[in-house]
Structures are given as structure tokens and as C-alpha cells.
Amino acid sequence: MWKKIMLFTSVIFLIGCSISVNTGELEVLPIRESAVENSPKVITYDNFWDAMQNFDFEYVERNSVTENEEHLCFGLQYIFEGEYQKSEKLFSHIIDNDPDSLFLEKTANILQGMLTLDFDYLGLIDLDEKLPKNLDELGTIDLVKFYSQGEPEKIIFANNPVPVETELSISGVPMVEVEINGVKKKFWIDTGAELTVLASDFADKCGFEADENYTAEVGTSTDVKVSTWPVIIDEMKIGDVKIQNHRAFVIDKKNLTFKMLKIIKLLKIDGIIGWNAIQNMKLEIDYKNLQTTITKPVKMENKHRNFHFGMVPFISLKDENNTDFQFFLDTGASSTDFYTKAIAKLDTTGMEVSKAKIGGAGGFQNIKQYDMFDKTLILGKNQINFAKIAINPDLGDHDAGFFKFDGVLGSDIAKNGTLILDFQNGVCELVIDENND
């Protein structure tokens, strides 16, 4: 089986895939009341930054805090309410008024997420100029400067829902046909990629050329950096849906081709539909019947949002003990895993040590992980029962932006049903296939 590889910088956060062993079977069932009757395990923190990064927002009620600390906490809570503009306003106020270097760095880290979510490239350039060390040392601000030159992005939806034939990659990731400049290829649907990605050979066929003035490096989980360059796509078609002035970047095809023993080609990724497209569409990905339906989101009030964004998209879950978890949502990952930090919330009785192999740009890497058995996670109206789920210490060290997540939610959860993604309304849910055998 395949597992996600992390290629990330401060602005471009995740693309690609990695290879690992299967983490075990799972089943999705309607929630049982007994599954959430237990008392939750709550972890509290004595340090402000630890508390904020680990979602302990009640810290400000237990402790004396500064005005800016209170503002930052409110800004983070706004994220859970879907009030991203209010978050951005508070974080920007702190950046402009707090000279403390640590506060500036931490606040800028989460503000980047709000600005990228809003396609505010000029805002990112302004933020970069205010930071002593810039956004990062990998040159991603050059990509941002390139993107700032284009016209605003626009999605043209069809009048009716658009069904698109879907395939699953060898790793179980959904793929749909995408057309750019008359050239068609199957692209991954990947919430774990901040921007749409083109393989270099596909980009060549589409007529794109690299501009040496705008390049950046992207780090990988195999400790190798790969070069990338930006493009603005005049129009990208997915079925009858058209995305105009769409930002993307190009990676050498060799870094999106994965081989066994350096000889046998296992997987070649031609392109990835990234978060910058997904966030503004409502997707219903039917993994069982191999169809993805795209509709225009219709804004509505939702007091029970479980789908959020804080540098990366993430989902609020509970377990059978009613304990809260926050999982990075990555449809480009084949499996759902816990990260190391979640151990404090888990009953690790019976946990076993195992090994896994992950691979991506730069080759393969062996990692040690821990396996838990018979674990339940609750998503919306359903519970996901895992026969086995991994706790992955190595991947858990890679924090995606400001927050420290409890794990990664992969495509395996939907393999026998439909995954509904409606970020504009804060909704991520599973629809169970009643005919599942």
C-alpha cells in the first residue's frame, strides 16, 4: 500500500505520495450511542504556545495572559467557527503591534495559512517583508511573487451537478480526468497538496516553460529537496467545471515517478488537483462506484463545523471515549495514522512495534512505527472501526504549519462509500454504501 510523503515549505505544504505497508482493515458503521458515553481524556498545557498549538484554548481562562495572547487565542477559535477573515484581522493586528520576535514568528506562521486560503498573494509578500527571516529560506516567496502577477482565480460551475468518472490509483487515491490546453491526463484529488501540481512532461505538452527568475525548493520526508517552478493555468477543465487563472507548480517527472528496486515502475503521477481548487468546490467522491460529483457550494449556517483550515485542512474527530482529536485531512494518503503526540490521549495497551518503508522524491526510507488494534474514530454520524492503525513517530515530527495534529486522515476511510467535502460550509462526512458487501 501507499502512504503520503510530505513535501513542504512554509507556503507550499504537501504533495506527492509514499509507500508503506497496509495498516489493516476497517469498517464504517452508523454511530452507536455507547461509543460516546465515556468521559473524554483532556490534555492541558502549562505553556501558552504549547496550549495554542495543541488546541487547548481554555488556557486563557486558567491563566493570566497578555492582550495579544488573548487576541491570538480568539483568532484560533474563529478558525473553528469558519470566521477566517476575523482570524486574519486579529493576526495582522498582532503582527503590526507586537515587537516580540517569538510572538511575531508564531503569529506569522498561522497568518500565512489565512492569507493563502484567501489567495492573498500581496498580503503574503507584505508579511514576508515584515519578518526578519522572511517566510522561509527555500525561496517560496518567489513563487508567491509570480502568482501575484496573474488575474484573480475564478471557477465556472455548470448549472447542474457534474458527475466525473473516477479511478483509484494503485495507492487508493481518487483520480479524475483533467484537461489543460487541450491535453488530458488523470489527476489525483489531493487535499494534502496546497496547490495543483503538474509533472514536468505534462507541463511541456501543455506548452508551459520554466522561468528561471521564479523557482523554489521543496523539502521531502526523505530529507531530499526538489526544485519546482510556478505556472498560472488560463483554464483547467474537470468535466464541465472550468477553473480560470489557476495557480499551480511544476515538479520534474522523475520526482513523481516511483519505482521498486529502482527498476520496476510502480506509480507515475501526471498531476494533482490541489487544495486551492478543492476548497471552493463541493466534492462527493464515491470510492465504491467510482464517480466524483462536483457542485457549487451553497453557503448555509452550520454550528457543528468539523472541517477547518489552519495552514492545512483538518478534521475534528472523537474516539470511543469521547476524546477530541484533530486530524490533518489528506486524500492523497492511502492510510489513516496517528502521530506521536496522540499517544497521551490513547490507551496503548497491546501496542506493537513494526517497521514500514516510505518512499518518494529522493528514494526510500525505513521507519519504525507502532500498531494499535481495535480502535474507533467517530466522524459525523459514523464510526470508523480500525482493526489496526499505526502510530507513526517519524511522520509525526513533521508539523504542518502552526498546529500540532493528532494524525492524518487518509482515503482508506471512504473505500466502501462516499466522502463528502464541503469546506465552505465546514462539512466533511461519510456516506455508507448500504449495498456494501
Side-chain angles (χ1 to χ4, degrees):
M1 294 293 291
W2 296 73
K3 188 182 293 181
K4 185 75 172 198
I5 188 173
M6 297 186 179
L7 309 173
F8 56 94
T9 67
S10 297
V11 179
I12 308 301
F13 57 87
L14 302 164
I15 66 167
C17 71
S18 68
I19 306 169
S20 76
V21 296
N22 188 1
T23 56
E25 294 300 316
L26 59 83
E27 61 177 353
V28 180
L29 301 170
I31 189 172
R32 298 192 306 267
E33 290 299 323
S34 59
V36 290
E37 288 180 351
N38 297 324
S39 298
K41 189 169 186 178
V42 179
I43 308 297
T44 58
Y45 298 84
D46 296 326
N47 174 276
F48 174 78
W49 291 113
D50 287 341
M52 295 303 102
Q53 291 182 284
N54 288 281
F55 307 94
D56 177 16
F57 301 136
E58 293 182 1
Y59 175 94
V60 297
E61 299 176 10
R62 303 191 307 267
N63 299 274
S64 176
V65 296
T66 67
E67 181 179 13
N68 275 336
E69 287 176 335
E70 186 176 49
H71 284 167
L72 187 135
C73 182
F74 289 160
L76 296 176
Q77 289 175 302
Y78 280 140
I79 287 175
F80 282 80
E81 299 170 9
E83 297 286 356
Y84 296 99
Q85 295 292 332
K86 290 183 179 179
S87 290
E88 182 180 325
K89 184 177 180 179
L90 279 175
F91 299 143
S92 295
H93 175 78
I94 294 171
I95 292 291
D96 291 336
N97 291 278
D98 198 312
D100 181 82
S101 59
L102 177 61
F103 218 100
L104 182 66
E105 177 186 346
K106 296 288 189 180
T107 306
N109 191 239
I110 188 65
L111 178 58
Q112 285 177 236
M114 304 301 98
L115 294 172
T116 55
L117 184 68
D118 199 32
F119 302 133
D120 188 351
Y121 301 112
L122 293 178
L124 283 167
I125 293 171
D126 180 63
L127 177 61
D128 178 77
E129 293 173 348
K130 293 177 180 178
L131 300 177
K133 297 182 180 180
N134 306 105
L135 291 178
D136 60 60
E137 298 177 352
L138 298 178
T140 51
I141 193 62
D142 288 335
L143 304 187
V144 173
K145 289 177 179 178
F146 179 89
Y147 296 139
S148 70
Q149 300 172 18
E151 293 294 319
E153 186 160 321
K154 180 180 180 181
I155 300 183
I156 301 175
F157 291 94
N159 293 328
N160 298 309
V162 176
V164 182
E165 182 179 335
T166 303
E167 296 181 11
L168 298 181
S169 72
I170 189 174
S171 60
V173 176
M175 303 185 299
V176 296
E177 187 175 78
V178 169
E179 180 180 346
I180 299 173
N181 295 345
V183 185
K184 298 179 180 180
K185 281 291 184 181
K186 294 293 175 64
F187 276 36
W188 285 24
I189 300 175
D190 189 353
T191 59
E194 178 176 5
L195 300 180
T196 291
V197 178
L198 309 181
S200 57
D201 54 343
F202 178 71
D204 288 342
K205 292 179 180 178
C206 295
F208 295 114
E209 296 182 0
D211 186 334
E212 295 182 356
N213 295 316
Y214 299 97
T215 61
E217 288 188 322
V218 185
T220 78
S221 67
T222 53
D223 300 322
V224 174
K225 293 182 177 65
V226 297
S227 296
T228 181
W229 47 275
V231 296
I232 299 178
I233 302 169
D234 289 338
E235 185 171 272
M236 183 172 81
K237 298 180 181 178
I238 311 171
D240 292 331
V241 176
K242 301 175 182 178
I243 307 178
Q244 298 177 340
N245 307 314
H246 188 52
R247 274 65 172 176
F249 63 96
V250 179
I251 288 184
D252 194 305
K253 64 179 181 179
K254 69 181 181 182
N255 292 319
L256 294 174
T257 302
F258 304 91
K259 297 180 179 181
M260 180 181 293
L261 303 176
K262 299 183 179 181
I263 300 174
I264 304 171
K265 186 168 74 172
L266 296 175
L267 176 66
K268 164 67 163 59
I269 302 174
D270 293 303
I272 297 170
I273 301 172
W275 175 251
N276 58 329
I278 295 169
Q279 70 179 67
N280 290 313
M281 301 186 289
K282 179 181 178 181
L283 298 179
E284 298 182 29
I285 309 171
D286 188 338
Y287 286 69
K288 184 72 179 294
N289 299 302
L290 299 178
Q291 179 174 282
T292 297
T293 303
I294 306 173
T295 54
K296 182 178 181 178
V298 178
K299 287 288 190 71
M300 60 187 70
E301 184 177 356
N302 179 14
K303 296 182 179 180
H304 303 287
R305 304 174 71 94
N306 70 342
F307 195 178
H308 323 286
F309 184 87
M311 200 64 181
V312 299
F314 66 98
I315 306 298
S316 296
L317 304 163
K318 292 183 180 292
D319 70 356
E320 67 273 27
N321 297 314
N322 207 24
T323 300
D324 291 322
F325 292 87
Q326 309 296 335
F327 271 59
F328 162 44
L329 176 66
D330 185 0
T331 57
S334 66
S335 64
T336 296
D337 298 323
F338 282 107
Y339 290 159
T340 306
K341 66 150 290 193
I343 290 178
K345 299 180 181 179
L346 299 169
D347 179 358
T348 57
T349 303
M351 186 172 66
E352 298 180 357
V353 179
S354 66
K355 294 181 179 180
K357 182 183 290 289
I358 63 171
F364 291 85
Q365 181 177 325
N366 293 315
I367 64 171
K368 181 177 73 173
Q369 65 183 26
Y370 301 93
D371 295 327
M372 291 186 63
F373 301 90
D374 300 320
K375 182 63 182 176
T376 295
L377 290 175
I378 296 169
L379 174 60
K381 299 178 181 179
N382 295 309
Q383 61 183 62
I384 309 166
N385 300 327
F386 294 87
K388 181 171 70 173
I389 185 170
I391 301 175
N392 205 311
D394 298 80
L395 296 183
D397 289 339
H398 298 307
D399 298 315
F402 178 84
F403 288 123
K404 298 181 182 295
F405 297 106
D406 295 300
V408 56
L409 201 65
S411 273
D412 56 337
I413 63 169
K415 62 183 179 180
N416 291 318
T418 300
L419 180 65
I420 298 177
L421 303 178
D422 184 3
F423 172 73
Q424 294 300 315
N425 288 301
V427 175
C428 174
E429 62 180 324
L430 288 171
V431 175
I432 302 170
D433 188 338
E434 297 180 355
N435 296 319
N436 179 34
D437 50 19

